[in-house]
Amino acid sequence: MKALFLFLNNEYRTFVPPNLSSLEAFIKKGGHETMVFDTSFYPEVVNIENAKRNEKAGTYGSIDYDKIGVPKRKKPIISDFLGVIEKFKPQMIGVSLYGYTAHIAELLCREAKKKFPEIIIFYVGIEVTLHTQQYIEKEFVDLACAGEGEKALLEVCNKIENTNYNFTKIPNLWSKNKKGLAKPQKMGDFLDLNELALPDWSSYESYHHYSPFNGKLKKMAMVEFSRGCPYSCTYCESSTLKFMHADQGLKKYVRHKSPELCVEECSLLVKNYGIEMFYIVDGTFLVMSNQILEKLSKLFKKEVNRPFFCLTTAPSVTKERAKLLSDMGCVQVNMGVESGNETYRKEVLGRPNMSNDRIVPSFQEMKINAIATSSQ
């Protein structure tokens, strides 16, 4: 079975997306053939004005992408996309969606459905989980996933492979039948992150092995150690996802890979793609226990030995954890403050443990350990 995935990138930057590459690798591990259509740097979709504004404001450094071979797109994006479909002949198009890329997905998938009505279009991602009915009701969307997509996507691929197009019993899935919208399925059990496939970047051009950091291009990989967050901040989609799953009796929302698997993945990326630096994309990296962090820190330093940066929260920082991060090779941590008003953080943002007396020492511990910090 052939699956074509859409890499929806309207930013003026290069990177391999961890969400999409995880889905693709999982399907390939299941025995299916895959390909990625990359929307990066097409003039119809790239948000070049936003990049220019950020450069002018000093938020971003100016990057010369020509030196890593970023192409000058000559054909319209729709023409290229339809050409890829005609050549590859996929039975399914998979789309991992964020809200700010929804317009690109609609532009491409609407045209694909017009020309190739037999192809199944599958929408997945945080945006789709939060607004599943909104997306499944679009006439060109056949399947929409509410929750994690790996297991549901693989089951769909297996059914297509066996010419069984009855998707109505697959957990997490919203589908259509001859009468219209089928009964949505309940969310299924969470995926054990140790079941994920090892990283495979063969579908991505080599210029996507680079990503900007402090105004310079580095061979960088975005990697995931955990999923979920224990906090319930009112402004964060992670809280909404946690409550959605809890309403259906699903627990263990916060999970992580084994330190051994995480290190194996990172080592493979260093070996296969010459990765110089890592960005650990977990929303709250330090949510793990001290024992797990200590094991991960030692293994990562021994087997990977590359600098990285990550995100966490002030309440998760201790003197011991800051030291372990430093030993592991951390060079920068982003800790959200969100507001300088302590009362507002507590009563409106849902962050009762984010007092000024808690925040300041957390930043100080990072400075003591020579870890740069950023916040917003």
Side-chain angles (χ1 to χ4, degrees), residues 3 22 36 57 65 106 153 225 253 257 265 278 307 373:
S22 175
V36 172
Y65 286 113
E106 181 150 348
L153 186 57
F225 178 64
Y253 175 63
K257 300 172 184 174
E265 290 178 350
F278 289 89
T373 55

Side-chain angles (χ1 to χ4, degrees), residues 132-252:
T132 318
Q133 186 157 351
Q134 171 187 323
Y135 287 102
I136 192 62
E137 288 179 349
K138 292 182 181 293
E139 67 275 15
F140 56 88
V141 176
D142 300 291
L143 304 171
C145 183
E148 290 181 320
E150 283 90 354
K151 290 195 288 186
L153 186 57
L154 180 57
E155 194 163 347
V156 166
C157 290
N158 290 341
K159 282 182 172 290
I160 295 173
E161 177 77 17
N162 295 315
T163 63
N164 177 0
Y165 293 88
N166 182 1
F167 307 115
T168 57
K169 301 296 183 182
I170 299 176
N172 290 13
L173 208 63
W174 293 45
S175 61
K176 294 172 180 173
N177 54 30
K178 293 180 181 179
K179 297 180 181 179
L181 182 63
K183 181 181 178 182
Q185 295 304 299
K186 291 184 177 181
M187 288 180 166
D189 293 335
F190 289 118
L191 176 72
D192 180 345
L193 299 188
N194 292 308
E195 296 177 12
L196 290 171
L198 291 171
D200 179 355
W201 287 5
S202 56
S203 295
Y204 296 88
E205 296 290 346
S206 59
Y207 53 77
H208 277 304
H209 301 171
Y210 294 83
S211 199
F213 181 75
N214 288 341
K216 295 181 180 179
L217 285 172
K218 299 276 190 180
K219 278 203 165 186
M220 186 186 299
M222 296 181 179
V223 294
E224 172 190 62
F225 178 64
S226 66
R227 290 183 184 177
C229 178
Y231 303 111
S232 301
C233 306
T234 57
Y235 55 85
C236 183
E237 74 276 357
S238 182
S239 299
T240 305
L241 293 174
K242 179 170 62 177
F243 296 139
M244 286 175 68
H245 286 90
D247 286 345
Q248 297 201 25
L250 298 172
K251 299 180 180 179
K252 295 185 178 179

Side-chain angles (χ1 to χ4, degrees), residues 53-68:
R53 281 195 301 270
N54 280 301
E55 286 178 14
K56 187 176 180 180
T59 307
Y60 296 165
S62 178
I63 294 292
D64 179 11
Y65 286 113
D66 288 340
K67 66 181 182 181
I68 57 171

